[in-house]
Amino acid sequence: MFYREAGQFKTTYAADMAIFPLREDRIGLAVIIVCAYALVFTGNSFLLQAVMIPFLVFSLAAIGLNLLTGYTGLLSLGTGAFMGVGAYACYKLTTAFPGLNIIICILASGLFSAAIGVLFGLPSLRIKGFYLAVATLAAQFFLQWCFIRVPWLVNYNVSGAIEAPLRTLFGVPIVGATATPETRYLVVLTLVIGLTWVASNIVHGRIGRAWMAVRDMDIAAELIGIRLLRTKLLAFAVSSYYCGVAGALLVFLWYGGAEYDVFNINQSFFILFMVIIGGLGSLIGSFMGAALIFILPIILGMVMPAILSPFGIGITAATVEHLRFMIVGALIIFFLIVEPHGLARLWQIGKQKLRVWPFPY
Amino acid sequence: MRPFENPVIPQRETLLAVENVSLAFGGVKALTDVSFDIRKGEIRAIIGPNGAGKTSMLNCINGFYHPTHGSITFKGEKRRRMRPSAAARGGIARTFQNVALFKGMSTLDNIMTGRSLKMHKGFFWQMLRYGPALKEEAGHRRVVEDIIDFLEIQHIRRTPVGKLPYGLQKRVELGRALAMEPELLLLDEPMAGMNLEEKEDMSRFILDVNQHFGTTIALIEHDMGVVMDLSDRVVVLEYGRKIADGTPQEVKRDEKVVAAYLGVAH
């Protein structure tokens, strides 16, 4: 009724294979992107700095892990470390070449992460599933050890931390203490939209199909001529690239500085939860998962006192914190029971219902 | 089912020759000294009781197993070890006894994946998609749509194959193999678990593939009626050894074959 393909005819295969073949989808996407850019004009720096920027950064990392785990079926617990590689590589690049545009530094730092990812992806030819997860755990611990023990990575800084130096784009500071949340948000948003577009192109083409073929039935994939090692390593490379860029964005456009501890195993699990709850093998699910895990607790923290205060129930900040964990935990379990395939599947079902409404099927 | 009785099989050139192939897993001898050939353009059946080594034979041909002894010559090229992906590049396609489709993907994507080897636009163009990569995709989509028309599976184009009934899954798997435009098509029990009507459909597809596309087919099948009607020549295996080889009529009369299938009075 509200959302249907009736009357939209495709006359070429290229049009039929568009990523958003339905007009409603394209309009919806355009509205979302415009709204996202319009958030800048709210001037609400809490919203931009503490909600939207981290949400986008985590979404990007979740997309990275989703390409590996959701699309290629390779379970990885090294996400945090690969993000760290991106962050440290970006720091080394921008301090070694201060004149180099920071955007180029951020995008190039992902390449270092990709290279490291390929290295730790090599065992994936022989081992799968949980065993591979343990092998990537080695990456997590080894790389984190490097961040602590190799002072060259932090330019022999005594504090052992990396700090975002002041960098400008067209004369406007976008990285460093003087950059406003608005400009940083615009940079992150643009990069995330661009990289998501690229990821969506990859997964809808030959390479994405090869990844999914390896995920669903690797023997049959090999039989139709897909080279397993090459395909898996490409997945590791692209996935780590996305994680690396997300790590660089996290330090340079959100935290402003970071220690090794930011990229610990908890970070890996955090991203993995986003991917699982959002939906394995779905790009939009990556955003939904990041929203559920990151934004929902913030909203709960603000909404709970507001709801309870009219009833005369005073609630302390500590209690809010506890309740928040409990509610988010319960919701995660609820969503996993209702739809084990994640929020993306719920979204699909919702779209289907809208399409046939008011009829049941 | 054949349009004419007693087809005259011309002496065609050999596409694939299996020479003295033996395969052992530890002490278990799956194949012992098996030799036969597959000629260009024929339908070659491999039959035998359960555990005779038929599937092992196919696995040797397309590189999943490496024979312990002997060699396989494909298109004049002799080899002992080969990766399955190399076999695919050489033009050998295969379906499995228990369907091996990509369950999370749609019918269309499954068959499109079969075109992987023929798609050459690199990573850079794939990132952009619009332009050369999409043009290439559309070109292959046309071929895939022809296969979908041929197999009469238009209505399940967008359905994830995991949700399809078994008979249709078998058909999609055949489509994926056809998308590779193989020279040699290996079918491992294409009619297992099908009812009569589905078997007739599948037989027709196999004959059409053989006659219209000129694809050489090697098939394993347990339904003797189907085997006798479809195949030009039959090789019979028992306990990993070849016990008979010839036209269906010859094989049917062979005492060893009858004994293998029906048993002998002691």
Side-chain angles (χ1 to χ4, degrees):
Chain A
M1 180 77 188
F2 300 112
Y3 173 86
R4 61 172 41 170
E5 61 269 48
Q8 300 186 33
F9 299 110
K10 306 288 183 297
T11 51
T12 62
Y13 286 133
D16 191 48
M17 290 192 295
I19 290 166
F20 293 105
L22 289 192
R23 195 189 308 119
E24 284 85 347
D25 280 336
R26 289 196 293 272
I27 294 170
L29 185 72
V31 169
I32 289 173
I33 290 178
V34 169
C35 288
Y37 276 105
L39 279 182
V40 172
F41 300 110
T42 61
N44 184 340
S45 49
F46 170 78
L47 177 69
L48 296 183
Q49 167 68 26
V51 179
M52 287 312 289
I53 291 179
F55 162 66
L56 289 170
V57 168
F58 284 132
S59 299
L60 192 64
I63 287 175
L65 184 60
N66 218 336
L67 293 178
L68 188 65
T69 304
Y71 281 92
T72 323
L74 303 169
L75 188 53
S76 164
L77 289 177
T79 323
F82 295 135
M83 289 171 77
V85 173
Y88 280 84
C90 189
Y91 180 69
K92 286 303 286 185
L93 276 176
T94 193
T95 49
F97 310 101
L100 192 63
N101 189 324
I102 186 68
I103 304 283
I104 293 175
C105 284
I106 289 173
L107 289 176
S109 63
L111 297 177
F112 292 86
S113 183
I116 302 279
V118 167
L119 198 63
F120 282 98
L122 281 172
S124 68
L125 184 69
R126 291 273 169 234
I127 50 181
K128 291 184 211 173
F130 293 122
Y131 301 95
L132 181 64
V134 173
T136 55
L137 208 55
Q140 175 68 42
F141 290 127
F142 174 74
L143 291 171
Q144 213 182 332
W145 177 86
C146 286
F147 301 151
I148 304 172
R149 301 290 170 192
V150 184
W152 176 79
L153 286 174
V154 293
N155 287 346
Y156 303 99
N157 200 335
V158 194
S159 66
I162 52 174
E163 201 165 301
L166 179 67
R167 293 287 181 268
T168 58
L169 183 70
F170 307 125
V172 182
I174 58 169
V175 166
T178 49
T180 62
E182 283 83 0
T183 47
R184 280 186 283 130
Y185 173 69
L186 281 181
V187 171
V188 174
L189 181 63
T190 310
L191 283 177
V192 170
I193 288 177
L195 286 170
T196 307
W197 179 70
V198 169
S200 137
N201 287 344
I202 293 175
V203 299
H204 281 89
R206 168 176 67 86
I207 294 172
R209 281 195 300 271
W211 284 347
M212 289 187 274
V214 169
R215 172 194 68 191
D216 286 348
M217 187 71 73
D218 52 355
I219 293 175
E222 201 177 5
L223 168 103
I224 52 179
I226 293 169
R227 289 190 190 135
L228 292 188
L229 183 63
R230 190 190 273 197
T231 310
K232 287 179 178 178
L233 289 187
L234 182 63
F236 261 101
V238 178
S239 158
S240 307
Y241 180 87
Y242 275 76
C243 293
V245 171
L249 291 178
L250 180 129
V251 171
F252 283 75
L253 290 150
W254 179 26
Y255 279 15
E259 281 186 30
Y260 68 91
D261 203 38
V262 174
F263 306 108
N264 61 13
I265 181 84
N266 284 345
Q267 193 75 278
S268 300
F269 277 119
F270 198 54
I271 308 290
L272 184 64
F273 295 155
M274 290 177 185
V275 170
I276 291 175
I277 289 163
L280 288 165
S282 160
L283 293 181
I284 193 166
S286 307
F287 285 94
M288 291 178 175
L292 185 81
I293 296 228
F294 185 79
I295 298 185
L296 188 70
I298 297 176
I299 295 178
L300 282 178
M302 292 192 299
V303 166
M304 267 191 299
I307 290 178
L308 292 178
S309 58
F311 300 103
I313 304 170
I315 189 164
T316 64
T319 320
V320 170
E321 189 72 6
H322 294 312
L323 279 175
R324 207 159 78 172
F325 275 117
M326 289 158 68
I327 293 175
V328 171
L331 277 176
I332 288 173
I333 294 172
F334 172 76
F335 278 121
L336 286 182
I337 290 173
V338 170
E339 188 47 72
H341 295 289
L343 300 173
R345 181 62 66 88
L346 283 178
W347 172 247
Q348 284 284 329
I349 294 170
K351 282 209 295 191
Q352 181 59 24
K353 291 251 186 282
L354 272 183
R355 179 184 279 161
V356 297
W357 192 88
F359 305 106
Y361 54 84
Chain B
M1 204 168 283
R2 279 247 154 199
F4 40 82
E5 287 298 311
N6 294 326
V8 184
I9 307 160
Q11 279 297 321
R12 283 176 284 210
E13 58 180 303
T14 306
L15 181 67
L16 180 123
V18 178
E19 285 157 59
N20 308 101
V21 163
S22 298
L23 177 72
F25 302 103
V28 181
K29 291 199 175 91
L31 292 170
T32 313
D33 204 23
V34 177
S35 304
F36 64 92
D37 65 336
I38 299 174
R39 293 186 199 137
K40 204 164 252 182
E42 75 174 341
I43 298 183
R44 184 73 144 130
I46 303 174
I47 63 169
N50 283 327
K54 305 178 295 291
T55 301
S56 297
M57 192 67 244
L58 285 200
N59 283 342
C60 285
I61 292 176
N62 80 344
F64 276 124
Y65 295 160
H66 304 300
T68 347
H69 294 289
S71 64
I72 294 171
T73 311
F74 179 60
K75 289 199 282 185
E77 210 172 305
K78 199 171 192 163
R79 62 185 167 78
R80 273 201 58 190
R81 304 183 69 85
M82 175 161 71
R83 302 290 306 158
S85 54
R89 263 186 292 283
I92 302 180
R94 157 98 189 253
T95 68
F96 285 84
Q97 187 172 353
N98 30 13
V99 186
L101 284 168
F102 309 128
K103 295 232 178 335
M105 299 160 73
S106 66
T107 300
L108 197 56
D109 279 346
N110 265 279
I111 303 179
M112 280 294 275
T113 312
R115 302 291 298 174
S116 291
L117 271 182
K118 313 224 177 270
M119 302 176 88
H120 302 292
K121 289 283 174 281
F123 188 70
F124 174 75
W125 292 114
Q126 297 294 337
M127 288 199 308
L128 291 182
R129 185 171 171 90
Y130 298 92
L134 191 57
K135 206 172 155 195
E136 187 185 40
E137 292 255 310
H140 288 285
R141 172 77 185 272
R142 175 169 293 280
V143 180
V144 167
E145 287 293 340
D146 286 344
I147 292 170
I148 288 177
D149 283 349
F150 172 71
L151 293 173
E152 295 161 17
I153 46 176
Q154 296 92 337
H155 57 295
I156 53 162
R157 212 184 255 128
R158 308 258 178 209
T159 319
V161 291
K163 290 183 179 168
L164 294 175
Y166 182 73
L168 282 177
Q169 290 196 5
K170 283 262 181 194
R171 229 189 271 185
V172 175
E173 201 187 15
L174 177 63
R176 188 182 66 190
L178 287 180
M180 294 169 66
E181 296 177 21
E183 284 184 57
L184 176 61
L185 179 58
L186 310 174
L187 303 174
D188 195 346
E189 299 201 18
M191 287 155 223
M194 287 187 169
N195 62 28
L196 186 63
E197 196 183 336
E198 288 171 326
K199 276 184 186 175
E200 281 174 354
D201 280 348
M202 189 52 100
S203 303
R204 185 166 53 80
F205 290 134
I206 292 174
L207 283 176
D208 280 351
V209 168
N210 180 243
Q211 283 167 4
H212 293 313
F213 304 130
T215 310
T216 311
I217 293 173
L219 84 154
I220 295 177
E221 186 48 58
H222 277 298
D223 186 320
M224 281 310 125
V226 168
V227 168
M228 296 303 158
D229 283 346
L230 286 187
S231 49
D232 295 313
R233 291 192 303 152
V234 183
V235 53
V236 190
L237 300 179
E238 192 195 16
Y239 298 120
R241 290 171 197 277
K242 185 172 90 169
I243 56 169
D245 189 351
T247 63
Q249 284 76 16
E250 285 166 13
V251 165
K252 220 189 290 188
R253 283 193 295 270
D254 192 292
E255 279 170 21
K256 278 195 214 156
V257 178
V258 175
Y261 271 91
L262 300 177
V264 275
H266 291 287

